[in-house]
Amino acid sequence: MKQQADTRTRSGRWFALAVLVLAVLLVAVDATVLGLATPFLSEDLKPSGTQLLWIGDAYSFVLAGLLVSMGSLGDRIGRKRILLIGATAFGAISVLNAYANSAELMIVARALLGVAGATLMPATLALIRNLFHDPRERSLAIGIWGAAASAGMAIGPIVGGVLLENFWWGSVFLINLPVMAVLVIVGARLLPESRNPEPGPWDLVSVVLSMIGMIGVVYAIKEFAAHGFGWVPVAAAAIGLLALYGFVRRQRRLPIPLLDLTLFRSRGFSSAVLADLLTILGLSGLIFFLSQYLQLVQERRPIEAGLAELPAAIGSVVAGLLAGQVARRFSVRAVVAGGLAAIGLALASLTTISQTTGYPLLGAALLVVGAGAGFSFTVTADVILSAVPKEQAGAASAVSETAYELGTALGIALLGSIVTGVYRNFEGPSGTPAAARESLGGAVEVAAQLPPAAAGELLDAAREAFAHGVAIAAGVGAAVLLATAVAAWFLLRGQRLGTAH
């Protein structure tokens, strides 16, 4: 009881938030370092093409499938408990990832890391909802939470680049251990426990339906993007949608459901979740390909590419810290719609991108994208948490995180199809191998085996085509963001953040 009383003091709450920020940093960094380590991992473990895809996707598939279930479990058994259990598991499984000696073991390790990761993000937001009862303090806490996520995603490539230049690929997973140790030791002392006082049973049938549904849908989206229509992704989509339909029907019949669907009756909650999903959809694919553009088109080293993307993190951190105050000064819809419009206009400026585009345009666009995202995501997270009773904070946070995962999958699928479609039609020298048209990385490998003149011609054509694909994807992303800004202006009408009591 004394520990809980301590965390209700002003200093206690902020120390507890610092612990939660460690968990957010950990997940954000882990989301970005694997991409850098993939070439080294591939050389060592020699996975097949399919195995390499599963190494990249197993984590996100399992994470998306379990977010709602783990958020609801935290509401039932205690958010502090599930956070500390998940953090301990995350650290232990990171060791398994680092020392995996086969592609099969690596896939299993990534999937297990997804199970642990699904406990962390919903629990951190839910604990913020229960730690900070003053709405103004909660807005600032959410801003710090979001800033940590943005900073972690920016730091990931830089830290990963340093480690990969000095150590073996497994080191990018071992950096999790000291952070996890601090989180568990300090969190056990500082974090207060909170749970739903009348939780009801944790329905395993709902858990299974939710997991099958989300994994089926996300897998189908990614397969459609990578290989087009085929019976496997169609079957996965059908199974996933059927499972989600069964999940919804079951929630309506259960006296105490795993996910209370009446949450979606709140216009603020539903509108904020939809805005997040569409925003990530318009952003994620482009950001994913922009990293490849910086490294493969403009030939920057991984550390240089990571530093080049820093303006987005800086803009997001600053805007996130100011978002609550600005939303109270003006309005929720003005800040969210304005932030989304700013992102849309920044993406529109990237429709002029080419192989020789200078950094000032890229840096300025990334700064505006980061600032717009910081304003929008911080305020929508505040709206989502404020719209639900604190007893359901875990489930609400999980819905928010699931929207991010779905938006990411849809964005990479939609914008990835555009970039890939444009790229594959580039006019290379006669006799260009098919492998060069599969990906820009493939073209770089093919060029290394050609005479200098032919290699230069191939790379110029491939890089210009890739940049053109990114420019078109930026235009589509801009249209999505501007349309979402208009929708947010109307859907969030009348929504307000709380004021201090």
Side-chain angles (χ1 to χ4, degrees):
M1 292 297 292
K2 186 177 186 300
Q3 288 178 7
Q4 292 202 16
D6 289 342
T7 54
R8 290 193 187 101
T9 68
R10 185 176 181 85
S11 60
R13 288 195 297 275
W14 296 106
F15 279 127
L17 177 65
V19 176
L20 299 179
V21 163
L22 284 177
V24 175
L25 275 172
L26 185 74
V27 175
V29 168
D30 194 77
T32 54
V33 294
L34 180 66
L36 289 174
T38 297
F40 303 91
L41 182 154
S42 300
E43 186 179 346
D44 192 10
L45 301 184
K46 295 180 172 51
S48 66
T50 301
Q51 287 175 327
L52 190 60
L53 286 175
W54 278 105
I55 288 171
D57 290 337
Y59 175 82
S60 60
F61 285 163
V62 175
L63 183 73
L66 283 177
L67 277 168
V68 169
S69 297
M70 290 301 184
S72 180
L73 181 62
D75 288 340
R76 285 162 166 76
I77 70 169
R79 290 120 189 173
K80 173 183 176 178
R81 177 181 296 179
I82 198 168
L83 178 68
L84 296 181
I85 292 172
T88 304
F90 202 94
I93 297 165
S94 293
V95 176
L96 182 62
N97 277 260
Y99 290 100
N101 57 10
S102 69
E104 293 82 2
L105 181 57
M106 190 67 190
I107 292 168
V108 172
R110 293 296 294 167
L112 291 173
L113 202 65
V115 176
T119 67
L120 298 179
M121 296 298 274
T124 57
L125 261 182
L127 282 164
I128 287 174
R129 173 70 175 86
N130 283 269
L131 272 170
F132 295 91
H133 301 293
D134 181 279
R136 290 183 183 274
E137 286 191 343
R138 185 165 63 241
S139 294
L140 180 57
I142 292 170
I144 293 171
W145 178 89
S150 300
M153 293 187 73
I155 291 169
I158 299 169
V159 172
V162 171
L163 290 172
L164 291 169
E165 288 189 6
N166 294 280
F167 305 100
W168 103 111
W169 59 264
S171 61
V172 301
F173 296 105
L174 294 182
I175 59 173
N176 295 337
L177 293 180
V179 180
M180 289 283 68
V182 173
L183 193 161
V184 172
I185 294 169
V186 180
R189 179 172 182 82
L190 283 183
L191 290 175
E193 186 57 280
S194 65
R195 61 171 62 87
N196 188 337
E198 298 178 358
W202 197 56
D203 183 52
L204 287 177
V205 174
S206 296
V207 172
V208 172
L209 288 172
S210 171
M211 188 166 184
I212 292 173
M214 288 301 303
I215 290 177
V217 169
V218 173
Y219 173 77
I221 291 169
K222 292 195 173 187
E223 283 295 297
F224 285 140
H227 307 295
F229 283 88
W231 72 266
V232 173
V234 168
I239 292 169
L241 291 172
L242 189 62
L244 290 178
Y245 175 73
F247 175 80
V248 170
R249 287 200 63 181
R250 187 169 181 84
Q251 302 318 293
R252 287 177 171 170
R253 292 201 306 267
L254 289 173
I256 304 180
L258 189 76
L259 175 63
D260 186 357
L261 298 179
T262 60
L263 294 176
F264 291 93
R265 293 177 184 171
S266 165
R267 181 162 55 86
F269 179 87
S270 298
S271 300
V273 169
L274 179 62
D276 285 350
L277 187 151
L278 293 175
T279 304
I280 289 291
L281 188 158
L283 263 179
S284 59
L286 182 69
I287 297 302
F288 175 78
F289 285 104
L290 194 59
S291 297
Q292 295 182 50
Y293 168 85
L294 290 168
Q295 293 181 69
L296 297 178
V297 175
Q298 296 202 330
E299 300 183 87
R300 299 176 189 269
R301 293 165 56 206
I303 295 178
E304 289 181 85
L307 290 170
E309 294 180 32
L310 266 181
I314 293 170
S316 183
V317 168
V318 173
L321 295 176
L322 296 173
Q325 183 179 349
V326 176
R328 287 183 174 84
R329 173 68 178 82
F330 298 97
S331 69
V332 165
R333 71 171 182 171
V335 173
V336 174
L340 298 183
I343 299 172
L345 293 174
L347 294 182
S349 74
L350 294 180
T351 57
T352 62
I353 201 171
S354 69
Q355 188 176 347
T356 57
T357 297
Y359 184 71
L361 173 63
L362 294 173
L366 286 170
L367 181 66
V368 175
V369 165
F375 278 120
S376 176
F377 288 142
T378 302
V379 173
T380 54
D382 203 334
V383 169
I384 287 168
L385 285 183
S386 301
V388 304
K390 64 180 182 179
E391 292 79 16
Q392 295 177 304
S397 303
V399 171
S400 175
E401 293 300 321
T402 303
Y404 283 105
E405 290 297 319
L406 269 179
T408 300
L410 287 166
I412 292 176
L414 173 64
L415 300 186
S417 297
I418 293 170
V419 175
T420 303
V422 172
Y423 171 79
R424 283 177 177 165
N425 294 321
F426 76 85
E427 295 182 6
S430 60
T432 297
R437 297 187 183 277
E438 286 301 312
S439 68
L440 184 52
V444 172
E445 290 181 12
V446 168
Q449 303 170 14
L450 297 176
E457 186 180 353
L458 171 62
L459 285 177
D460 278 343
R463 285 169 174 161
E464 197 57 47
F466 188 87
H468 184 51
V470 171
I472 294 175
V476 175
V480 171
L481 265 296
L482 292 172
T484 305
V486 173
W489 177 261
F490 290 102
L491 290 174
L492 293 172
R493 183 180 67 254
Q495 293 296 315
R496 297 183 181 278
L497 300 184
T499 54
H501 299 309

